[in-house]
Amino acid sequence: MKTLGETNPPTSEGSAPSSQGATPNIALPSDALILVPVRKLVLFPGLILPITVGRAKSISAVQQAVREERQIGIVLQRDPENDDPGPDDLHRVGTLANIVRYIAAPDGTHHIVVQGVQRIRILDFLPGTPFPVARVVNIPEPETRSTEIEARFRNLQAQALEAVQLLPQAPPELIATIQNATSPATLADLAAGYMDIPSEQKQSILETVDLSTRIDRVSALLAERIEVMRLTQEIGRQTKAAFDERQREAVLREQMAAIQRQLGEGDGKSQEVAELTEAIAKAKMPPEVESQAKKELARYQRMPEAAGEAGMIRTYLDWLIELPWSLPEVKPIDIAEARRILDQDHFGLEKIKTRIIEYLAVRKLAPQGKAPILCFVGPPGVGKTSLGQSIARAMGRPFVRVSLGGVHDEAEIRGHRRTYVGALPGNIIQGIKKAGARNCVMMLDEIDKMGRGIQGDPSAAMLEVLDPEQNSTFRDNYLGVPFDLSRVVFIATANMLDTIPGPLRDRMEIISLAGYTETEKLQIARRYLVKRQLEANGLKPEQADIDDEAIAAIIRGYTREAGVRNLERDIGQVFRHAAVQIAEGSTQHVHIGVADVSATLGQPRFENEVAMRTSVPGVATGLAWTPVGGDILFIEATRAPGKGGLILTGQLGDVMRESAQAAMTLVKSRATSLGIDPAIFERNDIHVHVPAGATPKDGPSAGVAMFMALVSLLTNRTIRSDTAMTGEISLRGLVLPVGGIKEKVVAAAAAGITRVMLPARNRRDYDDIPEDARKHLEFFWLERVDDAVAAALESAPSEKVES
């Protein structure tokens, strides 16, 4: 039912209004016609339509027309939002209508059923009436029946029948009316009245008097509606097959895609599949991988876009396409340029540089060969990662770093299977994609810090990656196809070897990097660190500088490390202090000397270890190795009345405790030859302590130092304060070799030691000791503990030891 206006208070119910409460009649001329304005509704001659009457003026007009049995004029108002249309707000052409029935419903609404009779044209409006009243002229319907009109009539009749049959529930009476129509004008008005088109278009047809023009306009609009209904039915058939309760959200997408196909705008997915097909062909994949990619692409093509798995397959195809399957053009390696790059980027490390040059030379002569996998082992801050970057520069290949510290899931290496939500390839494949080349230089950083969890052991997954015999067919769980890693240059870094599993360590060539000496640190600071910190703090060389004595003071008094990271931080702090002065404008140039270091950094954090040693019996200076470089430690021994017990303190590990017990047993067995009264062991308890008790200590290399501390205590002879020692002992008195000689000797030189005692079987490590440290130290090579007693103890006892 078409709505005309708002609802007014109810009148009495019935086929005609009652006299009670009715609007009084207004005297109207006989040639005047009562008009009823309507919104969005056009009545054609011959049509019967229900109308809801809501405005007070319209109700009064309808009631008077019913009482006087008058005809009314149904006229469309121009603005549907206007509640009180005037003469200028109404169209001039309307329809003369008979009121078939008037109903005043109990809910207060008023309804009329009208039948269109004839077109009318408004001539003028009568003033002073409570509702629109006008004089009109009837527009006669043309009755011309030419051959051309007849042809248009037959075409329109066929169109109207087709349109009705496309309706979901077409009333049979309407079909019969169309089939039995004989008047072209009546059929045109009937089709226009029932057509679902805007009211303005209907009004335009109502105002068209010429029959040919009217039929043509109705026919054109009807043809458009027929095409829309056809497409609607076809879209419905296409989407109904794919409709499912789980895919309700996909209905609109399917309809939109079907509409785009019918409009000739192309299928977006077909274009996407074509682009993927072209990308797969350009990726130059191996046959097995290309076959897998085409198989997944076929699955993706058959799958609806809204399906959850479609996104997963698309992501998988993107990974396959973007990976560098083919080898790029190999650039020849220039050995001389490689030497220049290594010398430019790193000071010292001559043995390491030589090994890298050898490595590059082999790669140059045998580019298809299986080169060893290098593993740089050393304390933090000595340049392990930057060495890998220098190798990549020397080879002219992209560099990518994969951090393995804290990795405890095997899937981080091999990737997750695609059945998991959010699955991705492992870090190895991700790194290769990031580098964009299959022959990149990949730095496996902190390989010693991989963990093991309930998700598996990542170090076991690394066995295949780092095996040149196997990694040519490395299979990532996400990709599901083999990927050739044999051309990747793997370089690993670690701080210590103890936590690397044996099978994994066996696949790598270990290259040790020890800590820097004071001279090397000074050169590194002068060549690299100062320039870097000047730039980092926004300073220019002409604005600030630091002399070598100040750098040496920072090295000796403020840093105690194997590398140079803390040294760089302290240099940066000094330059920041200078930057403040320059930014304030108090000076244009700042020169930093030794006196300025303490003013900026405070008092020295470390003091020379020589100052901590006192020449008293029972104190020996040992050399120790730590993950961050070498260090010195003191072994203190004293005795107190007791029953011959051995007390060990200082948070010593099991191995170090056993070394102390072995040293004690060795001293007892040699008591006579050393001039010690055997009775002293029965009447005294011996206490061995290693200071810095909060720091755990372990290892066998303190055996010589513990033996010498006990001998010094029990013979009452002091050990030379300028002497440090390391080595493991046996119960036969042999001095056995230990590791970390280079780091220990460097630490001794930095602490002011001038004499070091080392196991004779460690002579092979002498060449690894930096030249600067060798110049400042005197070496004593120990075959037996007797050699240590002769080289370390003062020449004569200060007094006889009483038991």
Side-chain angles (χ1 to χ4, degrees):
M1 208 174 268
K2 305 292 183 179
T3 302
L4 177 69
E6 295 104 9
T7 302
N8 278 322
T11 60
S12 59
E13 184 181 357
S15 60
S18 63
S19 60
Q20 184 179 1
T23 304
N25 287 349
I26 305 299
L28 298 176
S30 58
D31 59 345
L33 181 66
I34 298 174
L35 301 181
V36 177
V38 293
R39 316 171 196 252
K40 299 181 181 181
L41 184 146
V42 176
L43 177 66
F44 284 90
L47 266 63
I48 298 177
L49 291 179
I51 300 175
T52 299
V53 184
R55 287 181 284 208
K57 289 183 179 181
S58 297
I59 293 174
S60 299
V62 169
Q63 288 179 348
Q64 181 160 341
V66 170
R67 285 194 297 269
E68 297 181 359
E69 297 183 354
R70 281 175 172 266
Q71 293 179 315
I72 61 174
I74 303 298
V75 184
L76 177 68
Q77 64 185 63
R78 300 182 187 277
D79 184 8
E81 303 299 328
N82 192 347
D83 289 334
D84 189 16
D88 295 335
D89 299 323
L90 301 177
H91 287 279
R92 285 297 182 265
V93 176
T95 304
L96 183 65
N98 294 325
I99 298 178
V100 178
R101 189 173 184 185
Y102 174 88
I103 301 173
D107 59 358
T109 59
H110 297 257
H111 309 277
I112 58 174
V113 179
V114 295
Q115 181 180 19
V117 177
Q118 190 176 9
R119 286 174 171 80
I120 57 172
R121 186 183 305 278
I122 300 174
L123 297 178
D124 53 5
F125 288 87
L126 273 63
T129 58
F131 43 77
V133 179
R135 289 186 174 87
V136 300
V137 60
N138 295 337
I139 302 176
E141 200 66 60
E143 294 295 336
T144 307
R145 294 296 293 266
S146 64
T147 306
E148 186 178 351
I149 296 293
E150 189 68 25
R152 286 185 169 89
F153 167 67
R154 298 299 179 189
N155 179 62
L156 181 61
Q157 190 175 36
Q159 286 181 312
L161 286 172
E162 183 180 0
V164 172
Q165 291 170 354
L166 288 173
L167 293 175
Q169 296 178 346
E173 296 82 2
L174 182 58
I175 298 176
T177 302
I178 296 173
Q179 289 176 339
N180 299 328
T182 58
S183 171
T186 302
L187 181 60
D189 290 343
L190 178 66
Y194 283 108
M195 203 183 310
D196 185 15
I197 58 175
S199 57
E200 292 298 328
Q201 290 185 348
K202 289 187 177 183
Q203 178 67 29
S204 177
I205 294 173
L206 183 68
E207 294 176 359
T208 304
V209 179
D210 183 71
L211 186 57
S212 298
T213 306
R214 190 195 314 169
I215 294 176
D216 289 342
R217 297 187 62 179
V218 173
S219 180
L221 291 171
L222 196 56
E224 181 181 345
R225 298 309 302 168
I226 290 172
E227 187 64 23
V228 171
M229 287 188 287
R230 283 177 182 169
L231 292 176
T232 303
Q233 282 193 351
E234 188 172 350
I235 292 170
R237 286 194 299 268
Q238 291 176 356
T239 56
K240 186 176 181 180
F243 186 78
D244 191 278
E245 289 188 1
R246 295 173 299 176
Q247 297 176 341
R248 287 183 179 275
E249 296 179 359
V251 172
L252 293 178
R253 295 183 182 274
E254 290 293 330
Q255 289 183 343
M256 183 170 61
I259 291 172
Q260 289 177 342
R261 286 194 294 272
Q262 294 297 331
L263 293 177
E265 296 181 358
D267 187 356
K269 189 167 185 179
S270 299
Q271 184 178 358
E272 181 184 12
V273 170
E275 293 174 355
L276 290 174
T277 303
E278 183 180 358
I280 290 173
K282 291 182 179 179
K284 298 179 181 179
M285 304 177 185
E288 180 183 352
V289 181
E290 187 171 357
S291 174
Q292 176 71 11
K294 290 181 178 178
K295 179 181 176 182
E296 293 296 329
L297 180 59
R299 288 184 58 207
Y300 178 69
Q301 187 174 8
R302 295 191 302 267
M303 193 171 294
E305 290 184 2
E309 195 176 355
M312 298 170 58
I313 296 178
R314 176 58 199 264
T315 304
Y316 175 71
L317 290 173
D318 288 341
W319 272 100
L320 289 182
I321 291 169
E322 294 173 10
L323 281 175
W325 296 97
S326 59
L327 278 174
E329 182 180 353
V330 179
K331 299 179 181 178
I333 299 176
D334 188 344
I335 300 299
E337 178 66 12
R339 289 182 187 275
R340 186 193 67 79
I341 291 174
L342 290 173
D343 291 337
Q344 178 184 353
D345 294 348
H346 301 275
F347 177 80
L349 305 176
E350 297 303 328
K351 186 176 180 181
I352 309 301
K353 293 178 182 178
T354 301
R355 179 64 188 89
I356 292 175
I357 293 298
E358 294 172 356
Y359 175 84
L360 296 177
V362 173
R363 297 294 296 212
K364 179 178 181 179
L365 298 177
Q368 306 299 326
K370 298 175 180 177
I373 294 166
L374 304 180
C375 180
F376 297 138
V377 180
V382 296
K384 299 185 294 296
T385 303
S386 59
L387 275 173
Q389 296 173 339
S390 300
I391 292 174
R393 284 183 57 201
M395 299 182 73
R397 299 187 182 185
F399 175 82
V400 63
R401 174 180 168 272
V402 176
S403 178
L404 299 178
V407 172
H408 60 275
D409 187 354
E410 180 187 355
E412 296 289 335
I413 306 299
R414 287 190 177 276
H416 301 80
R417 300 191 183 278
R418 282 189 290 143
T419 53
Y420 297 106
V421 176
L424 283 175
N427 289 335
I428 304 300
I429 296 297
Q430 290 187 39
I432 291 177
K433 179 188 173 185
K434 181 179 179 181
R438 191 159 63 85
N439 61 346
C440 63
V441 176
M442 182 173 291
M443 173 70 75
L444 303 175
D445 216 4
E446 310 293 353
I447 198 171
D448 59 324
K449 295 178 178 60
M450 286 191 297
R452 178 185 299 180
I454 59 174
Q455 296 90 355
D457 186 358
S459 61
M462 289 297 297
L463 294 176
E464 181 183 4
V465 175
L466 299 182
D467 191 344
E469 301 294 335
Q470 301 179 30
N471 61 12
S472 60
T473 57
F474 174 73
R475 186 177 292 268
D476 187 274
N477 288 333
Y478 180 82
L479 297 182
V481 291
F483 190 92
D484 187 1
L485 300 179
S486 60
R487 295 294 178 265
V488 179
V489 179
F490 288 106
I491 299 174
T493 69
N495 294 130
M496 54 198 313
L497 294 175
D498 297 346
T499 56
I500 302 178
L504 185 58
R505 192 188 319 164
D506 183 62
R507 282 164 166 77
M508 301 182 292
E509 179 180 340
I510 306 300
I511 298 179
S512 297
L513 284 79
Y516 296 112
T517 63
E518 182 177 325
T519 303
E520 289 174 334
K521 289 182 179 180
L522 180 61
Q523 291 296 327
I524 292 172
R526 176 56 61 196
R527 297 187 183 195
Y528 309 107
L529 306 184
V530 170
K531 295 179 182 178
R532 201 152 60 202
Q533 286 302 315
L534 279 173
E535 182 179 352
N537 291 286
L539 297 173
K540 298 179 180 178
E542 59 269 17
Q543 292 178 316
D545 67 273
I546 183 171
D547 56 32
D548 291 349
E549 290 76 13
I551 297 176
I554 296 175
I555 295 172
R556 287 192 297 265
Y558 296 90
T559 62
R560 184 64 57 84
E561 57 179 343
V564 292
R565 284 204 180 113
N566 289 328
L567 174 60
E568 183 174 4
R569 293 190 187 101
D570 288 342
I571 292 175
Q573 184 175 348
V574 171
F575 279 136
R576 286 195 298 273
H577 187 266
V580 173
Q581 302 178 44
I582 294 175
E584 289 176 344
S586 59
T587 182
Q588 297 296 323
H589 178 79
V590 177
H591 174 75
I592 302 169
V594 177
D596 302 313
V597 172
S598 59
T600 304
L601 300 180
Q603 293 301 316
R605 306 184 189 106
F606 303 99
E607 57 184 340
N608 198 315
E609 298 290 352
V610 175
M612 298 176 62
R613 297 191 296 276
T614 55
S615 297
V616 296
V619 179
T621 304
L623 296 174
W625 179 91
T626 70
V628 294
D631 198 2
I632 67 171
L633 73 162
F634 300 105
I635 311 294
E636 299 179 351
T638 187
R639 62 190 178 93
K643 299 182 180 180
L646 177 62
I647 304 171
L648 303 175
T649 57
Q651 200 170 346
L652 309 182
D654 293 339
V655 178
M656 206 164 183
R657 286 177 172 274
E658 292 174 357
S659 294
Q661 294 169 353
M664 188 66 189
T665 301
L666 189 57
V667 170
K668 287 182 179 180
S669 66
R670 294 172 175 260
T672 303
S673 62
L674 293 172
I676 302 173
D677 184 1
I680 198 172
F681 301 106
E682 300 176 359
R683 300 175 183 175
N684 294 272
D685 289 336
I686 306 298
H687 186 169
V688 178
H689 176 67
V690 182
T695 304
K697 311 168 191 71
D698 202 5
S701 60
V704 171
M706 286 187 170
F707 174 80
M708 291 304 302
L710 293 173
V711 171
S712 172
L713 172 69
L714 298 175
T715 60
N716 205 25
R717 298 168 62 184
T718 58
I719 298 175
R720 294 183 55 160
S721 60
D722 60 353
T723 302
M725 62 202 74
T726 186
E728 185 180 1
I729 60 173
S730 73
L731 293 179
R732 295 177 293 163
L734 299 177
V735 178
L736 305 179
V738 293
I741 292 298
K742 178 181 177 181
E743 292 85 350
K744 293 175 180 178
V745 171
V746 169
I753 300 292
T754 59
R755 304 169 77 242
V756 290
M757 300 193 303
L758 306 175
R761 292 166 64 180
N762 279 115
R763 285 181 184 272
R764 61 180 182 269
D765 299 314
Y766 181 76
D767 293 337
D768 295 337
I769 300 173
E771 182 67 27
D772 184 63
R774 284 188 280 180
K775 289 180 180 178
H776 292 84
L777 293 173
E778 182 181 1
F779 293 88
F780 293 88
W781 303 99
L782 309 178
E783 292 281 355
R784 304 179 62 84
V785 292
D786 301 324
D787 301 332
V789 173
L793 288 180
E794 299 288 351
S795 58
S798 57
E799 59 177 306
K800 184 177 176 66
V801 179
E802 298 293 339
S803 60

